[in-house]
Amino acid sequence: MDLGSARRFSRRMFLSSGAATAASVMAPTAQTQESNSPSLLPNAKAEVTLTINGKAQHFVLDARTTLLDALREHAGLTGSKKGCDHGQCGACTVHVDGRPVLSCLTLAVMATDKAIGTIEGLANAPGDLHPMQQAFVDSDALQCGYCTPGQIMSAVACVAAGKAQSDGQIREFMSGNLCRCSAYPNIVAAVRDAKGKMEKA
């Protein structure tokens, strides 16, 4: 065998043995990860109790169902909107135990037995409006309205957290809620207007 043939033979042998070794090392790792992650298996179901606007509701969901999809597709509450579905626009904002949460990034099973508040449950009585909802109407703080439920839920949390002491604070707190219609000045005005009414209530 000449030197060139020996080199070609050695290179082939090296690559073949390397590929075989990599496959043998990776296969058990993949199997271990799969066996340790039963929630990722297709069609895995989970029994979930969601307390939505003060009412406990029971569902059997795919374990990977987001809170947003549970609310919209299973509870029939379509006020929370699916905008980007990546947690970047804020249209899906709801309250979980009083705090604003991006429901498109939250699994429904994570909200089990917690208090979930949506735009539908914000008013005290049917046909009535929460002060923040009324302020959005009075300040003309919406145009197409798609982002408005998430804006209002974040705005209520903003006032409740004491982060509405100035326009700058309001803008900072509300920065995660995007409005494609650019109604931002009116949104800030609405939060400022509702703050006093909420504090008196």
Side-chain angles (χ1 to χ4, degrees), residues 53 119-130 133:
N53 300 325
I119 191 71
E120 290 90 346
L122 199 57
N124 292 324
D128 196 8
L129 289 179
H130 184 278
Q133 291 173 307

mmCIF file of all heavy atoms in Angstrom, residues 53 119-130 133:
data_model
loop_
_atom_site.group_PDB
_atom_site.id
_atom_site.type_symbol
_atom_site.label_atom_id
_atom_site.label_comp_id
_atom_site.label_asym_id
_atom_site.label_seq_id
_atom_site.Cartn_x
_atom_site.Cartn_y
_atom_site.Cartn_z
ATOM 1 N N ASN A 53 -61.735 35.081 37.879
ATOM 2 C CA ASN A 53 -62.676 36.123 38.306
ATOM 3 C C ASN A 53 -63.552 35.649 39.463
ATOM 4 O O ASN A 53 -64.760 35.883 39.500
ATOM 5 C CB ASN A 53 -63.535 36.580 37.121
ATOM 6 C CG ASN A 53 -62.696 37.158 36.000
ATOM 7 O OD1 ASN A 53 -61.676 37.803 36.241
ATOM 8 N ND2 ASN A 53 -63.098 36.915 34.759
ATOM 9 N N ILE A 119 -59.985 40.863 32.037
ATOM 10 C CA ILE A 119 -60.700 42.100 31.744
ATOM 11 C C ILE A 119 -62.201 41.924 31.964
ATOM 12 O O ILE A 119 -62.901 42.868 32.360
ATOM 13 C CB ILE A 119 -60.391 42.567 30.292
ATOM 14 C CG1 ILE A 119 -60.902 43.988 30.045
ATOM 15 C CG2 ILE A 119 -60.952 41.590 29.275
ATOM 16 C CD1 ILE A 119 -60.118 45.047 30.766
ATOM 17 N N GLU A 120 -62.716 40.707 31.750
ATOM 18 C CA GLU A 120 -64.156 40.462 31.907
ATOM 19 C C GLU A 120 -64.606 40.597 33.367
ATOM 20 O O GLU A 120 -65.779 40.885 33.637
ATOM 21 C CB GLU A 120 -64.526 39.063 31.404
ATOM 22 C CG GLU A 120 -64.444 38.897 29.900
ATOM 23 C CD GLU A 120 -63.077 38.433 29.419
ATOM 24 O OE1 GLU A 120 -62.112 38.490 30.220
ATOM 25 O OE2 GLU A 120 -62.965 38.007 28.258
ATOM 26 N N GLY A 121 -63.688 40.372 34.306
ATOM 27 C CA GLY A 121 -64.061 40.419 35.717
ATOM 28 C C GLY A 121 -63.625 41.680 36.422
ATOM 29 O O GLY A 121 -63.703 41.768 37.652
ATOM 30 N N LEU A 122 -63.191 42.685 35.666
ATOM 31 C CA LEU A 122 -62.643 43.893 36.280
ATOM 32 C C LEU A 122 -63.726 44.765 36.912
ATOM 33 O O LEU A 122 -63.524 45.332 37.990
ATOM 34 C CB LEU A 122 -61.859 44.688 35.232
ATOM 35 C CG LEU A 122 -60.853 45.712 35.743
ATOM 36 C CD1 LEU A 122 -59.818 45.040 36.651
ATOM 37 C CD2 LEU A 122 -60.148 46.382 34.572
ATOM 38 N N ALA A 123 -64.859 44.894 36.261
ATOM 39 C CA ALA A 123 -65.945 45.735 36.791
ATOM 40 C C ALA A 123 -66.626 45.043 37.967
ATOM 41 O O ALA A 123 -66.651 43.808 38.065
ATOM 42 C CB ALA A 123 -66.953 46.030 35.694
ATOM 43 N N ASN A 124 -67.172 45.834 38.864
ATOM 44 C CA ASN A 124 -67.821 45.287 40.052
ATOM 45 C C ASN A 124 -69.176 44.663 39.746
ATOM 46 O O ASN A 124 -69.617 43.754 40.433
ATOM 47 C CB ASN A 124 -68.001 46.383 41.114
ATOM 48 C CG ASN A 124 -66.671 46.838 41.679
ATOM 49 O OD1 ASN A 124 -65.751 46.041 41.843
ATOM 50 N ND2 ASN A 124 -66.563 48.128 41.978
ATOM 51 N N ALA A 125 -69.846 45.153 38.723
ATOM 52 C CA ALA A 125 -71.181 44.648 38.395
ATOM 53 C C ALA A 125 -71.363 44.649 36.879
ATOM 54 O O ALA A 125 -70.752 45.463 36.177
ATOM 55 C CB ALA A 125 -72.251 45.526 39.045
ATOM 56 N N PRO A 126 -72.198 43.739 36.367
ATOM 57 C CA PRO A 126 -72.454 43.716 34.915
ATOM 58 C C PRO A 126 -73.012 45.052 34.441
ATOM 59 O O PRO A 126 -73.876 45.649 35.081
ATOM 60 C CB PRO A 126 -73.499 42.596 34.770
ATOM 61 C CG PRO A 126 -73.299 41.732 35.977
ATOM 62 C CD PRO A 126 -72.889 42.658 37.079
ATOM 63 N N GLY A 127 -72.489 45.527 33.328
ATOM 64 C CA GLY A 127 -72.937 46.796 32.779
ATOM 65 C C GLY A 127 -72.237 47.998 33.368
ATOM 66 O O GLY A 127 -72.384 49.115 32.871
ATOM 67 N N ASP A 128 -71.494 47.771 34.443
ATOM 68 C CA ASP A 128 -70.727 48.840 35.065
ATOM 69 C C ASP A 128 -69.317 48.836 34.480
ATOM 70 O O ASP A 128 -68.894 47.861 33.881
ATOM 71 C CB ASP A 128 -70.675 48.623 36.579
ATOM 72 C CG ASP A 128 -70.241 49.870 37.324
ATOM 73 O OD1 ASP A 128 -70.126 50.927 36.682
ATOM 74 O OD2 ASP A 128 -70.005 49.775 38.545
ATOM 75 N N LEU A 129 -68.590 49.922 34.683
ATOM 76 C CA LEU A 129 -67.210 49.987 34.223
ATOM 77 C C LEU A 129 -66.286 50.262 35.402
ATOM 78 O O LEU A 129 -66.626 51.031 36.306
ATOM 79 C CB LEU A 129 -67.024 51.095 33.174
ATOM 80 C CG LEU A 129 -67.633 50.874 31.790
ATOM 81 C CD1 LEU A 129 -67.366 52.100 30.906
ATOM 82 C CD2 LEU A 129 -67.077 49.628 31.131
ATOM 83 N N HIS A 130 -65.137 49.629 35.379
ATOM 84 C CA HIS A 130 -64.092 49.933 36.355
ATOM 85 C C HIS A 130 -63.607 51.352 36.068
ATOM 86 O O HIS A 130 -63.633 51.814 34.913
ATOM 87 C CB HIS A 130 -62.951 48.918 36.183
ATOM 88 C CG HIS A 130 -61.858 49.042 37.177
ATOM 89 N ND1 HIS A 130 -60.844 49.966 37.047
ATOM 90 C CD2 HIS A 130 -61.613 48.359 38.330
ATOM 91 C CE1 HIS A 130 -60.009 49.838 38.064
ATOM 92 N NE2 HIS A 130 -60.454 48.882 38.862
ATOM 93 N N GLN A 133 -61.358 51.488 33.112
ATOM 94 C CA GLN A 133 -62.057 51.326 31.835
ATOM 95 C C GLN A 133 -62.731 52.638 31.432
ATOM 96 O O GLN A 133 -62.656 53.049 30.271
ATOM 97 C CB GLN A 133 -63.088 50.204 31.942
ATOM 98 C CG GLN A 133 -62.488 48.819 32.091
ATOM 99 C CD GLN A 133 -63.545 47.762 32.370
ATOM 100 O OE1 GLN A 133 -64.352 47.905 33.299
ATOM 101 N NE2 GLN A 133 -63.532 46.695 31.587
#
